[in-house]
mmCIF file of all heavy atoms in Angstrom:
data_model
loop_
_atom_site.group_PDB
_atom_site.id
_atom_site.type_symbol
_atom_site.label_atom_id
_atom_site.label_comp_id
_atom_site.label_asym_id
_atom_site.label_seq_id
_atom_site.Cartn_x
_atom_site.Cartn_y
_atom_site.Cartn_z
ATOM 1 N N LEU F 1176 0.857 -1.216 0.027
ATOM 2 C CA LEU F 1176 0.035 0.003 -0.017
ATOM 3 C C LEU F 1176 0.882 1.279 0.004
ATOM 4 O O LEU F 1176 1.971 1.244 0.558
ATOM 5 C CB LEU F 1176 -0.908 -0.016 1.260
ATOM 6 C CG LEU F 1176 -1.993 -1.091 1.246
ATOM 7 C CD1 LEU F 1176 -2.766 -0.991 2.605
ATOM 8 C CD2 LEU F 1176 -2.921 -1.045 0.149
ATOM 9 N N ARG F 1177 0.416 2.333 -0.563
ATOM 10 C CA ARG F 1177 1.060 3.522 -0.659
ATOM 11 C C ARG F 1177 1.484 4.096 0.747
ATOM 12 O O ARG F 1177 2.539 4.586 0.963
ATOM 13 C CB ARG F 1177 0.405 4.569 -1.492
ATOM 14 C CG ARG F 1177 1.050 5.940 -1.599
ATOM 15 C CD ARG F 1177 2.190 5.900 -2.572
ATOM 16 N NE ARG F 1177 3.219 5.014 -2.243
ATOM 17 C CZ ARG F 1177 4.428 5.338 -1.884
ATOM 18 N NH1 ARG F 1177 4.813 6.604 -1.844
ATOM 19 N NH2 ARG F 1177 5.339 4.506 -1.545
ATOM 20 N N PHE F 1178 0.546 4.043 1.664
ATOM 21 C CA PHE F 1178 0.715 4.456 3.011
ATOM 22 C C PHE F 1178 0.509 3.266 3.962
ATOM 23 O O PHE F 1178 -0.446 2.483 3.798
ATOM 24 C CB PHE F 1178 -0.275 5.633 3.310
ATOM 25 C CG PHE F 1178 -0.095 6.801 2.460
ATOM 26 C CD1 PHE F 1178 -1.026 7.103 1.503
ATOM 27 C CD2 PHE F 1178 1.007 7.645 2.545
ATOM 28 C CE1 PHE F 1178 -0.834 8.179 0.656
ATOM 29 C CE2 PHE F 1178 1.185 8.730 1.769
ATOM 30 C CZ PHE F 1178 0.213 9.036 0.739
ATOM 31 N N ARG F 1179 1.342 3.208 4.935
ATOM 32 C CA ARG F 1179 1.246 2.087 5.870
ATOM 33 C C ARG F 1179 -0.139 2.288 6.666
ATOM 34 O O ARG F 1179 -0.528 3.327 7.036
ATOM 35 C CB ARG F 1179 2.364 2.278 6.943
ATOM 36 C CG ARG F 1179 3.710 1.998 6.510
ATOM 37 C CD ARG F 1179 4.732 2.075 7.576
ATOM 38 N NE ARG F 1179 4.384 1.142 8.714
ATOM 39 C CZ ARG F 1179 4.927 -0.025 8.924
ATOM 40 N NH1 ARG F 1179 5.943 -0.399 8.183
ATOM 41 N NH2 ARG F 1179 4.598 -0.746 9.938
ATOM 42 N N ALA F 1180 -0.752 1.102 6.796
ATOM 43 C CA ALA F 1180 -2.020 1.063 7.550
ATOM 44 C C ALA F 1180 -2.252 -0.387 7.893
ATOM 45 O O ALA F 1180 -2.052 -1.279 7.108
ATOM 46 C CB ALA F 1180 -3.134 1.624 6.810
ATOM 47 N N TRP F 1181 -2.840 -0.722 9.065
ATOM 48 C CA TRP F 1181 -3.293 -1.940 9.497
ATOM 49 C C TRP F 1181 -4.550 -2.268 8.952
ATOM 50 O O TRP F 1181 -5.459 -1.494 9.012
ATOM 51 C CB TRP F 1181 -3.164 -2.027 11.013
ATOM 52 C CG TRP F 1181 -3.674 -3.471 11.577
ATOM 53 C CD1 TRP F 1181 -2.936 -4.578 11.693
ATOM 54 C CD2 TRP F 1181 -5.025 -3.819 11.928
ATOM 55 N NE1 TRP F 1181 -3.695 -5.614 12.169
ATOM 56 C CE2 TRP F 1181 -5.015 -5.159 12.403
ATOM 57 C CE3 TRP F 1181 -6.251 -3.013 12.020
ATOM 58 C CZ2 TRP F 1181 -6.169 -5.693 12.758
ATOM 59 C CZ3 TRP F 1181 -7.374 -3.748 12.471
ATOM 60 C CH2 TRP F 1181 -7.330 -5.107 12.858
ATOM 61 N N MET F 1182 -4.741 -3.465 8.338
ATOM 62 C CA MET F 1182 -6.032 -3.852 7.818
ATOM 63 C C MET F 1182 -6.513 -5.176 8.561
ATOM 64 O O MET F 1182 -5.747 -6.067 8.809
ATOM 65 C CB MET F 1182 -5.939 -4.152 6.328
ATOM 66 C CG MET F 1182 -5.638 -3.000 5.481
ATOM 67 S SD MET F 1182 -6.900 -1.705 5.523
ATOM 68 C CE MET F 1182 -6.028 -0.335 4.701
ATOM 69 N N PRO F 1183 -7.791 -5.280 8.816
ATOM 70 C CA PRO F 1183 -8.332 -6.426 9.626
ATOM 71 C C PRO F 1183 -8.574 -7.633 8.697
ATOM 72 O O PRO F 1183 -9.279 -8.510 9.045
ATOM 73 C CB PRO F 1183 -9.626 -5.877 10.139
ATOM 74 C CG PRO F 1183 -10.028 -4.857 9.201
ATOM 75 C CD PRO F 1183 -8.868 -4.247 8.604
ATOM 76 N N TYR F 1184 -7.883 -7.629 7.517
ATOM 77 C CA TYR F 1184 -8.081 -8.804 6.674
ATOM 78 C C TYR F 1184 -6.727 -8.991 5.860
ATOM 79 O O TYR F 1184 -5.928 -8.101 5.762
ATOM 80 C CB TYR F 1184 -9.312 -8.647 5.718
ATOM 81 C CG TYR F 1184 -9.199 -7.331 4.930
ATOM 82 C CD1 TYR F 1184 -8.599 -7.264 3.655
ATOM 83 C CD2 TYR F 1184 -9.843 -6.113 5.373
ATOM 84 C CE1 TYR F 1184 -8.502 -6.220 2.901
ATOM 85 C CE2 TYR F 1184 -9.731 -4.997 4.613
ATOM 86 C CZ TYR F 1184 -9.116 -5.003 3.372
ATOM 87 O OH TYR F 1184 -9.005 -3.897 2.663
ATOM 88 N N ASP F 1185 -6.744 -10.073 5.118
ATOM 89 C CA ASP F 1185 -5.546 -10.384 4.365
ATOM 90 C C ASP F 1185 -5.815 -9.812 2.959
ATOM 91 O O ASP F 1185 -6.845 -10.175 2.290
ATOM 92 C CB ASP F 1185 -5.330 -11.887 4.215
ATOM 93 C CG ASP F 1185 -4.192 -12.275 3.325
ATOM 94 O OD1 ASP F 1185 -3.362 -11.400 3.087
ATOM 95 O OD2 ASP F 1185 -4.064 -13.458 2.990
ATOM 96 N N TYR F 1186 -4.968 -8.916 2.485
ATOM 97 C CA TYR F 1186 -5.155 -8.344 1.157
ATOM 98 C C TYR F 1186 -4.041 -8.746 0.106
ATOM 99 O O TYR F 1186 -3.718 -7.981 -0.795
ATOM 100 C CB TYR F 1186 -5.276 -6.780 1.286
ATOM 101 C CG TYR F 1186 -4.051 -6.115 1.869
ATOM 102 C CD1 TYR F 1186 -2.955 -5.772 1.197
ATOM 103 C CD2 TYR F 1186 -4.062 -5.854 3.329
ATOM 104 C CE1 TYR F 1186 -1.884 -5.156 1.725
ATOM 105 C CE2 TYR F 1186 -2.993 -5.233 3.787
ATOM 106 C CZ TYR F 1186 -1.903 -4.878 3.088
ATOM 107 O OH TYR F 1186 -0.842 -4.178 3.663
ATOM 108 N N SER F 1187 -3.511 -9.937 0.363
ATOM 109 C CA SER F 1187 -2.474 -10.450 -0.484
ATOM 110 C C SER F 1187 -3.019 -10.898 -1.958
ATOM 111 O O SER F 1187 -2.170 -10.822 -2.841
ATOM 112 C CB SER F 1187 -1.810 -11.608 0.112
ATOM 113 O OG SER F 1187 -2.718 -12.701 0.427
ATOM 114 N N SER F 1188 -4.265 -11.165 -2.086
ATOM 115 C CA SER F 1188 -4.741 -11.548 -3.411
ATOM 116 C C SER F 1188 -4.846 -10.326 -4.318
ATOM 117 O O SER F 1188 -4.894 -9.236 -3.837
ATOM 118 C CB SER F 1188 -6.132 -12.242 -3.278
ATOM 119 O OG SER F 1188 -7.078 -11.359 -2.911
ATOM 120 N N GLU F 1189 -4.875 -10.614 -5.576
ATOM 121 C CA GLU F 1189 -4.906 -9.500 -6.570
ATOM 122 C C GLU F 1189 -6.099 -8.563 -6.416
ATOM 123 O O GLU F 1189 -5.981 -7.364 -6.347
ATOM 124 C CB GLU F 1189 -4.791 -10.135 -7.965
ATOM 125 C CG GLU F 1189 -4.531 -9.034 -9.103
ATOM 126 C CD GLU F 1189 -3.157 -8.595 -9.039
ATOM 127 O OE1 GLU F 1189 -2.267 -9.333 -8.696
ATOM 128 O OE2 GLU F 1189 -2.938 -7.414 -9.479
ATOM 129 N N PHE F 1190 -7.318 -9.227 -6.258
ATOM 130 C CA PHE F 1190 -8.497 -8.428 -6.148
ATOM 131 C C PHE F 1190 -8.596 -7.644 -4.867
ATOM 132 O O PHE F 1190 -8.807 -6.446 -4.881
ATOM 133 C CB PHE F 1190 -9.666 -9.411 -6.243
ATOM 134 C CG PHE F 1190 -11.044 -8.713 -6.061
ATOM 135 C CD1 PHE F 1190 -11.595 -7.922 -7.098
ATOM 136 C CD2 PHE F 1190 -11.651 -8.843 -4.779
ATOM 137 C CE1 PHE F 1190 -12.835 -7.214 -6.833
ATOM 138 C CE2 PHE F 1190 -12.898 -8.119 -4.569
ATOM 139 C CZ PHE F 1190 -13.401 -7.358 -5.596
ATOM 140 N N SER F 1191 -8.289 -8.294 -3.699
ATOM 141 C CA SER F 1191 -8.378 -7.595 -2.548
ATOM 142 C C SER F 1191 -7.323 -6.494 -2.338
ATOM 143 O O SER F 1191 -7.622 -5.426 -1.770
ATOM 144 C CB SER F 1191 -8.224 -8.596 -1.270
ATOM 145 O OG SER F 1191 -6.947 -9.205 -1.342
ATOM 146 N N PHE F 1192 -6.097 -6.706 -2.885
ATOM 147 C CA PHE F 1192 -5.090 -5.595 -2.868
ATOM 148 C C PHE F 1192 -5.570 -4.421 -3.728
ATOM 149 O O PHE F 1192 -5.421 -3.287 -3.254
ATOM 150 C CB PHE F 1192 -3.823 -6.134 -3.324
ATOM 151 C CG PHE F 1192 -2.789 -5.101 -3.458
ATOM 152 C CD1 PHE F 1192 -2.053 -4.582 -2.327
ATOM 153 C CD2 PHE F 1192 -2.462 -4.516 -4.633
ATOM 154 C CE1 PHE F 1192 -1.177 -3.513 -2.449
ATOM 155 C CE2 PHE F 1192 -1.493 -3.506 -4.834
ATOM 156 C CZ PHE F 1192 -0.824 -3.027 -3.666
ATOM 157 N N THR F 1193 -6.070 -4.671 -4.937
ATOM 158 C CA THR F 1193 -6.520 -3.609 -5.825
ATOM 159 C C THR F 1193 -7.651 -2.839 -5.124
ATOM 160 O O THR F 1193 -7.646 -1.565 -5.176
ATOM 161 C CB THR F 1193 -7.000 -4.197 -7.112
ATOM 162 O OG1 THR F 1193 -5.939 -4.982 -7.759
ATOM 163 C CG2 THR F 1193 -7.406 -3.062 -8.149
ATOM 164 N N LEU F 1194 -8.630 -3.602 -4.535
ATOM 165 C CA LEU F 1194 -9.750 -2.871 -3.884
ATOM 166 C C LEU F 1194 -9.211 -2.014 -2.724
ATOM 167 O O LEU F 1194 -9.607 -0.820 -2.563
ATOM 168 C CB LEU F 1194 -10.765 -3.861 -3.385
ATOM 169 C CG LEU F 1194 -12.019 -3.373 -2.737
ATOM 170 C CD1 LEU F 1194 -12.802 -2.554 -3.806
ATOM 171 C CD2 LEU F 1194 -12.889 -4.513 -2.189
ATOM 172 N N THR F 1195 -8.279 -2.600 -1.918
ATOM 173 C CA THR F 1195 -7.785 -1.836 -0.734
ATOM 174 C C THR F 1195 -7.008 -0.645 -1.190
ATOM 175 O O THR F 1195 -7.142 0.423 -0.650
ATOM 176 C CB THR F 1195 -6.898 -2.762 0.102
ATOM 177 O OG1 THR F 1195 -7.599 -3.930 0.512
ATOM 178 C CG2 THR F 1195 -6.413 -2.018 1.337
ATOM 179 N N TYR F 1196 -6.175 -0.803 -2.278
ATOM 180 C CA TYR F 1196 -5.389 0.286 -2.818
ATOM 181 C C TYR F 1196 -6.212 1.473 -3.305
ATOM 182 O O TYR F 1196 -5.988 2.580 -3.004
ATOM 183 C CB TYR F 1196 -4.458 -0.224 -3.925
ATOM 184 C CG TYR F 1196 -3.340 0.670 -4.235
ATOM 185 C CD1 TYR F 1196 -2.165 0.583 -3.630
ATOM 186 C CD2 TYR F 1196 -3.508 1.650 -5.179
ATOM 187 C CE1 TYR F 1196 -1.114 1.433 -4.010
ATOM 188 C CE2 TYR F 1196 -2.461 2.535 -5.610
ATOM 189 C CZ TYR F 1196 -1.295 2.372 -4.916
ATOM 190 O OH TYR F 1196 -0.275 3.201 -5.321
ATOM 191 N N VAL F 1197 -7.257 1.060 -4.003
ATOM 192 C CA VAL F 1197 -8.215 2.125 -4.586
ATOM 193 C C VAL F 1197 -8.937 2.831 -3.412
ATOM 194 O O VAL F 1197 -9.025 3.982 -3.440
ATOM 195 C CB VAL F 1197 -9.132 1.538 -5.594
ATOM 196 C CG1 VAL F 1197 -10.238 2.474 -5.977
ATOM 197 C CG2 VAL F 1197 -8.414 1.057 -6.787
ATOM 198 N N CYS F 1198 -9.330 1.989 -2.485
ATOM 199 C CA CYS F 1198 -10.121 2.530 -1.350
ATOM 200 C C CYS F 1198 -9.186 3.524 -0.574
ATOM 201 O O CYS F 1198 -9.606 4.636 -0.149
ATOM 202 C CB CYS F 1198 -10.545 1.473 -0.412
ATOM 203 S SG CYS F 1198 -11.611 2.006 0.947
ATOM 204 N N GLN F 1199 -7.924 3.168 -0.368
ATOM 205 C CA GLN F 1199 -6.969 4.075 0.322
ATOM 206 C C GLN F 1199 -6.715 5.412 -0.477
ATOM 207 O O GLN F 1199 -6.704 6.461 0.062
ATOM 208 C CB GLN F 1199 -5.630 3.447 0.587
ATOM 209 C CG GLN F 1199 -4.760 4.228 1.456
ATOM 210 C CD GLN F 1199 -3.443 3.494 1.797
ATOM 211 O OE1 GLN F 1199 -2.548 3.642 0.922
ATOM 212 N NE2 GLN F 1199 -3.300 2.908 2.900
ATOM 213 N N PHE F 1200 -6.611 5.252 -1.853
ATOM 214 C CA PHE F 1200 -6.434 6.418 -2.717
ATOM 215 C C PHE F 1200 -7.674 7.346 -2.654
ATOM 216 O O PHE F 1200 -7.473 8.549 -2.417
ATOM 217 C CB PHE F 1200 -6.307 5.871 -4.144
ATOM 218 C CG PHE F 1200 -6.306 7.003 -5.146
ATOM 219 C CD1 PHE F 1200 -5.245 7.889 -5.337
ATOM 220 C CD2 PHE F 1200 -7.405 7.299 -5.921
ATOM 221 C CE1 PHE F 1200 -5.245 8.902 -6.251
ATOM 222 C CE2 PHE F 1200 -7.445 8.330 -6.874
ATOM 223 C CZ PHE F 1200 -6.403 9.117 -7.063
ATOM 224 N N VAL F 1201 -8.819 6.772 -2.664
ATOM 225 C CA VAL F 1201 -10.034 7.626 -2.545
ATOM 226 C C VAL F 1201 -10.165 8.322 -1.196
ATOM 227 O O VAL F 1201 -10.456 9.414 -1.110
ATOM 228 C CB VAL F 1201 -11.286 6.671 -2.799
ATOM 229 C CG1 VAL F 1201 -12.659 7.554 -2.445
ATOM 230 C CG2 VAL F 1201 -11.336 6.215 -4.207
ATOM 231 N N THR F 1202 -9.770 7.602 -0.147
ATOM 232 C CA THR F 1202 -9.772 8.205 1.218
ATOM 233 C C THR F 1202 -8.804 9.381 1.343
ATOM 234 O O THR F 1202 -9.124 10.384 1.875
ATOM 235 C CB THR F 1202 -9.438 7.135 2.263
ATOM 236 O OG1 THR F 1202 -10.376 6.011 2.164
ATOM 237 C CG2 THR F 1202 -9.586 7.652 3.649
ATOM 238 N N VAL F 1203 -7.626 9.184 0.790
ATOM 239 C CA VAL F 1203 -6.518 10.200 0.800
ATOM 240 C C VAL F 1203 -7.039 11.416 0.036
ATOM 241 O O VAL F 1203 -6.873 12.604 0.431
ATOM 242 C CB VAL F 1203 -5.241 9.711 0.269
ATOM 243 C CG1 VAL F 1203 -4.273 10.885 0.111
ATOM 244 C CG2 VAL F 1203 -4.694 8.704 1.204
ATOM 245 N N MET F 1204 -7.771 11.206 -1.160
ATOM 246 C CA MET F 1204 -8.306 12.299 -1.906
ATOM 247 C C MET F 1204 -9.384 13.058 -1.123
ATOM 248 O O MET F 1204 -9.466 14.283 -1.139
ATOM 249 C CB MET F 1204 -8.841 11.826 -3.174
ATOM 250 C CG MET F 1204 -7.771 11.311 -4.206
ATOM 251 S SD MET F 1204 -6.609 12.555 -4.696
ATOM 252 C CE MET F 1204 -5.225 12.047 -3.770
ATOM 253 N N PHE F 1205 -10.243 12.239 -0.407
ATOM 254 C CA PHE F 1205 -11.244 12.939 0.405
ATOM 255 C C PHE F 1205 -10.637 13.718 1.618
ATOM 256 O O PHE F 1205 -11.075 14.838 1.915
ATOM 257 C CB PHE F 1205 -12.221 11.870 1.085
ATOM 258 C CG PHE F 1205 -13.293 11.377 0.183
ATOM 259 C CD1 PHE F 1205 -13.656 10.033 0.143
ATOM 260 C CD2 PHE F 1205 -13.931 12.244 -0.708
ATOM 261 C CE1 PHE F 1205 -14.696 9.563 -0.736
ATOM 262 C CE2 PHE F 1205 -14.944 11.806 -1.529
ATOM 263 C CZ PHE F 1205 -15.296 10.488 -1.555
ATOM 264 N N ALA F 1206 -9.590 13.174 2.079
ATOM 265 C CA ALA F 1206 -8.850 13.925 3.150
ATOM 266 C C ALA F 1206 -8.250 15.218 2.640
ATOM 267 O O ALA F 1206 -8.280 16.249 3.301
ATOM 268 C CB ALA F 1206 -7.694 13.044 3.775
ATOM 269 N N ALA F 1207 -7.704 15.145 1.428
ATOM 270 C CA ALA F 1207 -7.110 16.447 0.815
ATOM 271 C C ALA F 1207 -8.218 17.405 0.635
ATOM 272 O O ALA F 1207 -7.977 18.678 0.775
ATOM 273 C CB ALA F 1207 -6.431 15.939 -0.513
ATOM 274 N N ILE F 1208 -9.386 16.955 0.133
ATOM 275 C CA ILE F 1208 -10.451 17.907 -0.189
ATOM 276 C C ILE F 1208 -10.971 18.530 1.127
ATOM 277 O O ILE F 1208 -11.220 19.771 1.210
ATOM 278 C CB ILE F 1208 -11.651 17.201 -0.839
ATOM 279 C CG1 ILE F 1208 -11.195 16.764 -2.262
ATOM 280 C CG2 ILE F 1208 -12.928 18.026 -0.912
ATOM 281 C CD1 ILE F 1208 -12.173 15.817 -2.943
ATOM 282 N N ALA F 1209 -10.947 17.752 2.230
ATOM 283 C CA ALA F 1209 -11.383 18.345 3.554
ATOM 284 C C ALA F 1209 -10.442 19.376 4.002
ATOM 285 O O ALA F 1209 -10.843 20.474 4.510
ATOM 286 C CB ALA F 1209 -11.580 17.247 4.587
ATOM 287 N N ASN F 1210 -9.080 19.095 3.814
ATOM 288 C CA ASN F 1210 -8.138 20.194 4.139
ATOM 289 C C ASN F 1210 -8.247 21.381 3.286
ATOM 290 O O ASN F 1210 -8.226 22.514 3.759
ATOM 291 C CB ASN F 1210 -6.718 19.587 3.991
ATOM 292 C CG ASN F 1210 -6.366 18.626 5.210
ATOM 293 O OD1 ASN F 1210 -5.968 19.163 6.275
ATOM 294 N ND2 ASN F 1210 -6.515 17.423 5.053
ATOM 295 N N LEU F 1211 -8.454 21.187 1.999
ATOM 296 C CA LEU F 1211 -8.680 22.303 1.113
ATOM 297 C C LEU F 1211 -9.829 23.154 1.470
ATOM 298 O O LEU F 1211 -9.794 24.378 1.454
ATOM 299 C CB LEU F 1211 -8.826 21.788 -0.348
ATOM 300 C CG LEU F 1211 -7.596 21.372 -1.199
ATOM 301 C CD1 LEU F 1211 -8.007 20.661 -2.427
ATOM 302 C CD2 LEU F 1211 -6.734 22.592 -1.475
ATOM 303 N N THR F 1212 -10.896 22.492 1.829
ATOM 304 C CA THR F 1212 -12.213 23.161 2.212
ATOM 305 C C THR F 1212 -11.948 24.091 3.434
ATOM 306 O O THR F 1212 -12.313 25.282 3.404
ATOM 307 C CB THR F 1212 -13.298 22.174 2.504
ATOM 308 O OG1 THR F 1212 -13.486 21.396 1.333
ATOM 309 C CG2 THR F 1212 -14.597 22.924 2.835
ATOM 310 N N SER F 1213 -11.310 23.450 4.459
ATOM 311 C CA SER F 1213 -11.000 24.298 5.688
ATOM 312 C C SER F 1213 -10.126 25.429 5.425
ATOM 313 O O SER F 1213 -10.384 26.597 5.847
ATOM 314 C CB SER F 1213 -10.447 23.408 6.726
ATOM 315 O OG SER F 1213 -10.160 24.110 7.882
ATOM 316 N N GLU F 1214 -9.053 25.244 4.730
ATOM 317 C CA GLU F 1214 -8.069 26.288 4.459
ATOM 318 C C GLU F 1214 -8.643 27.365 3.537
ATOM 319 O O GLU F 1214 -8.348 28.595 3.762
ATOM 320 C CB GLU F 1214 -6.804 25.753 3.893
ATOM 321 C CG GLU F 1214 -5.985 24.951 4.841
ATOM 322 C CD GLU F 1214 -5.340 23.617 4.296
ATOM 323 O OE1 GLU F 1214 -5.235 23.626 3.075
ATOM 324 O OE2 GLU F 1214 -5.093 22.706 5.070
ATOM 325 N N ASN F 1215 -9.348 27.031 2.442
ATOM 326 C CA ASN F 1215 -9.889 27.995 1.538
ATOM 327 C C ASN F 1215 -11.090 28.686 2.167
ATOM 328 O O ASN F 1215 -11.340 29.924 1.865
ATOM 329 C CB ASN F 1215 -10.326 27.313 0.254
ATOM 330 C CG ASN F 1215 -9.119 26.940 -0.610
ATOM 331 O OD1 ASN F 1215 -8.154 27.744 -0.812
ATOM 332 N ND2 ASN F 1215 -9.143 25.761 -1.108
ATOM 333 N N LEU F 1216 -11.809 28.049 2.996
ATOM 334 C CA LEU F 1216 -12.934 28.810 3.804
ATOM 335 C C LEU F 1216 -12.293 29.858 4.732
ATOM 336 O O LEU F 1216 -12.732 31.038 4.695
ATOM 337 C CB LEU F 1216 -13.709 27.822 4.606
ATOM 338 C CG LEU F 1216 -14.822 28.334 5.490
ATOM 339 C CD1 LEU F 1216 -15.863 29.081 4.604
ATOM 340 C CD2 LEU F 1216 -15.461 27.177 6.195
ATOM 341 N N PHE F 1217 -11.303 29.455 5.419
ATOM 342 C CA PHE F 1217 -10.640 30.470 6.370
ATOM 343 C C PHE F 1217 -10.095 31.582 5.543
ATOM 344 O O PHE F 1217 -10.335 32.788 5.872
ATOM 345 C CB PHE F 1217 -9.575 29.744 7.216
ATOM 346 C CG PHE F 1217 -8.792 30.682 8.129
ATOM 347 C CD1 PHE F 1217 -9.340 31.071 9.307
ATOM 348 C CD2 PHE F 1217 -7.609 31.201 7.703
ATOM 349 C CE1 PHE F 1217 -8.629 31.943 10.156
ATOM 350 C CE2 PHE F 1217 -6.889 32.111 8.551
ATOM 351 C CZ PHE F 1217 -7.447 32.432 9.723
ATOM 352 N N SER F 1218 -9.185 31.253 4.573
ATOM 353 C CA SER F 1218 -8.581 32.324 3.821
ATOM 354 C C SER F 1218 -9.602 33.191 3.025
ATOM 355 O O SER F 1218 -9.427 34.418 2.944
ATOM 356 C CB SER F 1218 -7.553 31.747 2.824
ATOM 357 O OG SER F 1218 -8.271 30.949 1.814
ATOM 358 N N GLY F 1219 -10.674 32.570 2.481
ATOM 359 C CA GLY F 1219 -11.694 33.341 1.742
ATOM 360 C C GLY F 1219 -12.377 34.321 2.768
ATOM 361 O O GLY F 1219 -12.649 35.513 2.384
ATOM 362 N N LEU F 1220 -12.748 33.936 3.900
ATOM 363 C CA LEU F 1220 -13.369 34.869 4.904
ATOM 364 C C LEU F 1220 -12.439 35.954 5.336
ATOM 365 O O LEU F 1220 -12.902 37.095 5.519
ATOM 366 C CB LEU F 1220 -13.889 34.006 6.131
ATOM 367 C CG LEU F 1220 -15.036 33.062 5.905
ATOM 368 C CD1 LEU F 1220 -15.255 32.167 7.102
ATOM 369 C CD2 LEU F 1220 -16.275 33.780 5.477
ATOM 370 N N MET F 1221 -11.157 35.546 5.486
ATOM 371 C CA MET F 1221 -10.194 36.582 5.901
ATOM 372 C C MET F 1221 -9.935 37.637 4.763
ATOM 373 O O MET F 1221 -9.817 38.884 4.968
ATOM 374 C CB MET F 1221 -8.856 36.030 6.364
ATOM 375 C CG MET F 1221 -8.976 35.099 7.601
ATOM 376 S SD MET F 1221 -9.790 35.971 8.965
ATOM 377 C CE MET F 1221 -8.662 37.269 9.375
ATOM 378 N N ILE F 1222 -9.959 37.160 3.568
ATOM 379 C CA ILE F 1222 -9.674 38.051 2.418
ATOM 380 C C ILE F 1222 -10.907 39.002 2.284
ATOM 381 O O ILE F 1222 -10.714 40.225 2.047
ATOM 382 C CB ILE F 1222 -9.510 37.207 1.095
ATOM 383 C CG1 ILE F 1222 -8.204 36.480 1.043
ATOM 384 C CG2 ILE F 1222 -9.654 38.152 -0.164
ATOM 385 C CD1 ILE F 1222 -8.074 35.537 -0.048
#
């Protein structure tokens, strides 16, 4: 996985690894959007 994380299941198979990898990618993108939202909201109000 791109980022270290403990998983409660074995993701060594091709399908489970791909699904876990995509899920982690989507989660990191959501996290980036949440950070963007907070920072741009603050900066927009201050501007």
